[in-house]
Amino acid sequence: MGKVGRNDPCPCGSGKKYKKCYLLKEDIERNIPEIILFDAASLRMRHLLSKVGRSKFMRIYKGPAMAIEKSVIATIPPSPNKNESEKALLLWKQKLEGEIKRLCSNRSKYYWLFLSRRIFPETVEPYDRRTTPYLHRTTFNLALLKYGSSNQEDEFVAVPTSFDVKQYISTEEPYNGETIDFDTATTVEIQKEEEFRDTVRPTIIPRQITQEDAITIYQIEYLALDYYMITAQLRRFWKGGKLTVPKERFAVVELPKKVEDLVSLYDDRHAKYYELLSSF
């Protein structure tokens, strides 16, 4: 066909000038970073957790929340009065937050948020209303941001072209890559033509994900669920509800019938119009 000029019509028939069609596409493709078609960090977490075994993992991952529940329930008398009920629920909430703080403090908030994006929050029947996963995830995120350290300590590295994914997944040693500051990572801007500008961000991974960290992020997630549920029970209590002796997963706060009807009406309307409300 011969050489096509930059301002000539593109041979593809789009009607655009060559420089704004296929030439632009070729420039983009030449400078696009190598795409890894799977998430190395997620695979490493799965590899580490597979060594634990499911039944043992479930015990360990729910362990901190279960221990707190057991310790608080032991303090509740058979027929708690108003002050005793409020004290028990506030103690429960305080202990949950204290444990979340303890677990989060040994790593940066960036590291925990990175791991948290690789798991799905678990909700518990019968509390899985439409908004529960959203509120649970919000509680989870806020906990990581509040109590995760600001000190990154070389936690993240940039991924080179020769990145050995298999070695990263299976090795126990820290990955020897170029350190990158996750918070202030500089973007590389590529200027090709007047009408073309693209931004390339480096692909990053945690330098090392340990088995303990992979379990800990799940523990924090489950503690965040308990925290959300207990604050919900507290709100019911402050609306005039009565705390009964817990026999199941969470303490039960019974509301007067009229208040329960109003709460149910609000919940039903919120569920019906949730998408509309959240779009404002």
Side-chain angles (χ1 to χ4, degrees):
M1 293 176 61
K3 187 175 180 179
V4 181
R6 290 167 51 84
N7 292 312
D8 292 338
C10 187
C12 75
S14 65
K16 297 179 181 179
K17 291 182 179 180
Y18 179 59
K19 69 178 182 181
K20 293 188 177 182
C21 192
Y22 260 66
L23 180 61
L24 179 62
K25 181 181 178 182
E26 288 167 5
D27 281 340
I28 294 172
E29 289 176 347
R30 272 198 300 271
N31 293 284
I32 198 167
E34 182 181 1
I35 296 174
I36 299 172
L37 298 178
F38 44 86
D39 183 344
S42 297
L43 291 174
R44 174 147 180 77
M45 289 175 69
R46 289 175 63 86
H47 173 72
L48 292 169
L49 294 176
S50 68
K51 292 182 175 183
V52 180
R54 179 168 177 80
S55 59
K56 184 179 178 182
F57 167 72
M58 295 301 285
R59 281 199 313 276
I60 298 173
Y61 133 68
K62 296 183 178 181
M66 296 294 103
I68 290 171
E69 178 183 351
K70 185 176 180 181
S71 68
V72 174
I73 288 177
T75 68
I76 304 175
S79 301
N81 60 34
K82 185 175 181 181
N83 288 337
E84 290 169 336
S85 298
E86 184 175 31
K87 183 179 178 181
L89 290 170
L90 288 172
L91 175 65
W92 200 334
K93 178 173 170 286
Q94 180 185 358
K95 285 195 170 191
L96 288 168
E97 189 163 8
E99 184 64 9
I100 290 171
K101 180 180 180 179
R102 185 185 72 82
L103 291 173
C104 282
S105 60
N106 67 330
R107 289 281 196 171
S108 79
K109 54 191 171 185
Y110 309 98
Y111 179 81
W112 291 130
L113 285 168
F114 188 96
L115 296 194
S116 75
R117 295 302 184 268
R118 279 141 189 86
I119 69 174
F120 294 97
E122 178 183 341
T123 55
V124 180
E125 296 283 356
Y127 303 101
D128 55 344
R129 290 180 176 174
R130 188 175 180 183
T131 53
T132 297
Y134 168 76
L135 293 171
H136 173 202
R137 172 62 77 169
T138 302
T139 304
F140 188 25
N141 288 341
L142 289 173
L144 299 177
L145 286 167
K146 184 175 182 179
Y147 292 119
S149 167
S150 296
N151 184 11
Q152 297 181 45
E153 297 180 352
D154 299 335
E155 288 177 332
F156 292 93
V157 292
V159 175
T161 307
S162 58
F163 177 56
D164 187 339
V165 177
K166 186 176 181 181
Q167 182 185 13
Y168 176 75
I169 293 169
S170 59
T171 186
E172 298 293 331
E173 299 299 320
Y175 181 73
N176 186 23
E178 180 186 352
T179 301
I180 187 167
D181 187 333
F182 190 70
D183 191 27
T184 59
T186 306
T187 60
V188 181
E189 295 184 346
I190 301 174
Q191 181 104 35
K192 285 298 172 186
E193 296 182 17
E194 295 176 356
E195 65 273 37
F196 173 58
R197 190 179 184 89
D198 193 16
T199 301
V200 177
R201 295 179 184 273
T203 301
I204 65 167
I205 56 170
R207 183 181 293 279
Q208 184 182 29
I209 302 174
T210 66
Q211 187 180 81
E212 182 181 358
D213 291 341
I215 293 172
T216 297
I217 191 63
Y218 276 92
Q219 290 177 328
I220 298 170
E221 174 258 342
Y222 203 72
L223 287 161
L225 173 65
D226 269 21
Y227 186 90
Y228 160 69
M229 295 307 306
I230 292 305
T231 53
Q233 296 290 358
L234 265 169
R235 288 193 298 273
R236 292 173 66 83
F237 174 78
W238 288 328
K239 288 186 176 83
K242 180 182 178 182
L243 177 67
T244 61
V245 179
K247 296 179 181 179
E248 297 180 357
R249 181 71 187 88
F250 292 100
V252 177
V253 176
E254 296 178 351
L255 285 171
K257 187 178 184 308
K258 287 185 178 180
V259 181
E260 186 69 63
D261 290 343
L262 287 171
V263 171
S264 297
L265 178 62
Y266 172 83
D267 288 341
D268 290 343
R269 288 192 174 186
H270 194 274
K272 183 177 180 181
Y273 297 109
Y274 170 68
E275 291 181 0
L276 178 63
L277 290 171
S278 64
S279 68
F280 279 98

